[in-house]
């Protein structure tokens, strides 16, 4: 493992940046409004309309850019919401254990057992159209994943000496959860963030395709496909272009997930830390240049690999001999 | 039975068992005066660590703790609930762990970790606490304390981390410091430094130290008094020089015998104590060491009491005066 470039991360970030630029700067480059109708219908790509126009003569470049904007914002917002809720549930379940753990985890399983699209449709029916119910629906779909992914490292971490030490020091449990448990479990969380966001993009387009996502006249890639599929044989680009947008966005989030995973794997090695040795300045020559092999100097550093030393210290097993104790009472 | 005595630790007749099993600790009476270091020594599973955790109220819920008195820093904790313990942990009593790496949060800067102990108990503002943390790092002889306070645990060596753990334990000026095998994970040169540091710390703060170890050398080097435990019972107690130079219980004698010395003949098997502690040993009414003892007779099945061998030196063996126990001067 010498000098591995984190290709996934670079590709993922570049693609996201490109899509963000398209979504937020793109519309400023053309004179057309997103809902401006004109006589020029089904125009092919020209210097006037870079990606042509649709059946109502609306500029496809602007509409696709705005659709991308919605897709990014909705997937991001819903995933943030899912992360906050799910991480909270996982943290509480893992740290509290016992009945609360059981209750919370079984609840997440119930949610996971319902097909995502169906669940989203139900939430839409209950809360009505609009962006907030849409985001809420997708947050509910994403949260159980975060809860499960968060819980398992917490189960390991809460037995570690430094958590016991903090308990001994009298630190309150909520604070222990936030300052001692959570920061040590961020890697799986961040990886899951990117993959949940990519899932959110797909669900949003599916819902929009079914007419339950972004509502007209706001543009959405999913709804464009459903609207334009009747013109598919005459004007295939109208369907292909939104499909490409959905694909790019999904791929971007997935690449980001892979990249983040690789970048954060040697946990302690890539924290921003003041060190006496020169670590600033031009990096490429140093073998530590890349996060991938920025392995810590000492091998026992990885918080998840350190053998659990509390085991022999905290006695748990009861002995099986049936004899009565003989202590002085 | 509230004790107003200034003792750092005053435990009377402490017994611990898990569920309905045999007791892992039975009838232990133990005290630590302010500024004193008392060592508990014994092999794995003899109940040393259970005592340490019991004194912090940290045993799992299945544990049954019975004691006539459990005085920690002058407060009787025998019937204490979780809230009472929260008032004691960290401030009155604190603990040093065996494994310095896992005792530190890998994601938190050293200074912040030490400061947390102070801010949690509202003993200092955040800024004062960070300044105090640097001060404590200086006290435990960490070089470049300002820089170290800004670093993460993985950037420190094992010995340095253990110093940090000690600094954390000392932060709130506890009256009782429980050190559970504080040097086991360290190499020998660092071990000596850490023990010196513990010694210095108790002199400067007047904290009583309960040093739990299985290393006779560590105990001999540091402690004012040593308590030898076997199968959950105290079998011998006294000053290290008395106990280790003139052991009065066959178990202690065998322990001392098994230390290699410069006089030990080369390429000869070291003496050892055969067998191990069984549940039956813990449950027996008589001497618990009898099954492994070279001097056991029929009379050993009678209950054994801790009796004075000389001033301040007690042993739990009825034959102690007639036994030819080792008298070699191994550790001075």
């Amino acid at each position: 493992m010498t000098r591995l470039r984190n290709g996934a991360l670079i590709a993922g970030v570049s693609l996201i940046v490109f899509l963000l630029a398209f979504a937020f700067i793109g519309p400023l480059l053309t004179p057309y409004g997103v809902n401006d109708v004109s006589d020029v219908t089904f125009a092919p790509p020209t210097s006037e309309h870079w990606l042509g126009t649709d059946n109502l003569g609306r500029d496809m470049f602007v509409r696709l850019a705005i659709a991308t904007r919605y897709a990014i914002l909705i997937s991001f917002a819903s995933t943030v919401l899912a992360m906050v809720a799910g991480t909270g549930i996982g943290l509480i379940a893992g740290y509290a254990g016992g009945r609360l753990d059981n209750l919370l985890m079984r609840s997440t399983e119930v949610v996971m057992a319902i097909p995502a699209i169906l669940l989203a449709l139900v939430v839409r029916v209950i809360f009505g159209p609009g962006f907030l119910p849409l985001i809420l629906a997708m947050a509910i779909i994403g949260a159980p994943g975060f809860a499960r992914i968060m819980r398992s490292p917490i189960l390991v971490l809460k037995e570690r000496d430094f958590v016991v030490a903090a308990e001994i020091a009298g630190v309150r449990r909520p604070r222990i959860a936030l300052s001692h448990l959570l920061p040590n479990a961020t890697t799986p969380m961040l990886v899951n963030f990117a993959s949940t966001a990519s899932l959110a993009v797909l669900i949003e387009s599916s819902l929009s395709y079914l007419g339950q996502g972004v509502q007209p006249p706001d543009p959405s890639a999913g709804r464009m496909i459903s609207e334009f599929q009747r013109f598919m044989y005459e004007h295939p680009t109208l369907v292909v272009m939104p499909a490409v947008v959905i694909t790019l966005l999904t791929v971007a989030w997935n690449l980001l997930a892979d990249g983040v995973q690789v970048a954060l794997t040697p946990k302690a090695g890539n924290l921003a830390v003041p060190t006496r040795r020169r670590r600033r300045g031009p990096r490429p020559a140093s073998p530590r240049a890349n996060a991938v092999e920025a392995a810590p100097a000492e091998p026992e550093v990885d918080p998840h690999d350190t053998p659990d030393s509390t085991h022999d210290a905290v006695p748990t097993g009861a002995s099986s001999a049936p004899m009565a104790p003989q202590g002085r009472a | 039975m509230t004790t107003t005595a200034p003792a750092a630790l005053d435990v009377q007749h402490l017994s611990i068992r898990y569920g309905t099993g045999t007791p892992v600790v039975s009838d232990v009476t133990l005290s630590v005066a302010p500024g004193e270091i008392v060592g508990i020594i014994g092999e794995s599973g003899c109940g040393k660590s259970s005592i340490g955790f019991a004194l912090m109220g940290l045993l799992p819920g299945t544990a049954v703790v019975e004691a006539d008195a459990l005085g920690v820093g002058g407060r009787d904790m025998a019937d204490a609930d979780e809230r009472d313990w929260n008032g004691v942990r960290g401030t009155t009593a604190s603990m040093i762990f065996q494994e310095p790496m896992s005792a530190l949060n890998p994601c938190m800067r050293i200074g912040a970790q030490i400061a947390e102990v102070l801010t949690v108990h509202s003993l200092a503002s955040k800024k004062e606490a960070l300044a105090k943390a640097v001060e404590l790092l200086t006290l435990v002889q960490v070089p470049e304390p300002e820089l170290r306070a800004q670093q993460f645990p993985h950037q420190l060596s094992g010995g340095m981390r253990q110093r940090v753990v000690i600094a954390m334990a000392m932060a709130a000026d506890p009256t009782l410091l429980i050190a559970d095998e504080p040097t086991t994970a360290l190499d020998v040169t660092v071990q000596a430094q850490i023990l010196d540091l513990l010694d210095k710390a108790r002199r400067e703060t007047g904290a009583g130290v309960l040093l739990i170890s299985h290393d006779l050398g560590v105990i001999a080097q540091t402690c004012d008094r040593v308590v030898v435990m076997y199968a959950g019972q105290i079998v011998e107690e006294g000053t290290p020089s008395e106990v280790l130079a003139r052991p009065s219980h066959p178990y202690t004698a065998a322990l001392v015998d098994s230390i290699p010395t410069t006089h030990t003949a080369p390429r000869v098997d070291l003496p050892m104590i055969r067998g191990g502690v069984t549940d039956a040993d813990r449950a027996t009414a008589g001497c618990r060491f009898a099954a492994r003892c070279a001097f056991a007779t029929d009379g050993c099945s009678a209950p054994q009491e801790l009796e004075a061998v000389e001033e301040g030196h007690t042993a739990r063996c009825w034959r102690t005066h007639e036994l030819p126990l080792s008298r070699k001067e191994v550790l001075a």
Side-chain angles (χ1 to χ4, degrees), chain A residues 132-203:
Chain A
L132 278 180
L134 184 63
I135 289 170
L136 181 71
M138 291 195 307
I140 292 174
I141 294 166
F146 280 103
R148 302 191 69 81
I149 273 182
M150 199 62 191
R151 180 176 167 268
S152 33
I154 297 299
L155 289 180
V156 178
L157 284 169
K158 73 172 178 180
E159 302 293 335
R160 298 273 307 275
D161 280 351
F162 68 85
V163 176
V164 180
E167 277 166 3
I168 289 177
V171 183
R172 302 262 172 262
R173 287 171 70 86
R175 200 192 145 105
I176 289 179
L178 291 180
S179 70
H180 291 279
L181 296 175
L182 188 60
N184 284 298
T186 45
T187 303
M189 200 174 80
L190 288 176
V191 173
N192 195 50
F193 183 93
S195 44
T196 306
S198 94
L199 193 70
V201 172
L202 289 178
I203 294 176

Side-chain angles (χ1 to χ4, degrees), chain A residues 168-169 180 184 273 276 319, chain B residues 22 89 105 116 121 144 155:
Chain A
I168 289 177
H180 291 279
N184 284 298
V273 160
R276 270 187 304 176
S319 53
Chain B
T22 43
R89 289 182 202 138
N105 183 344
E116 186 178 47
H121 294 286
E144 299 179 85
Q155 295 173 296

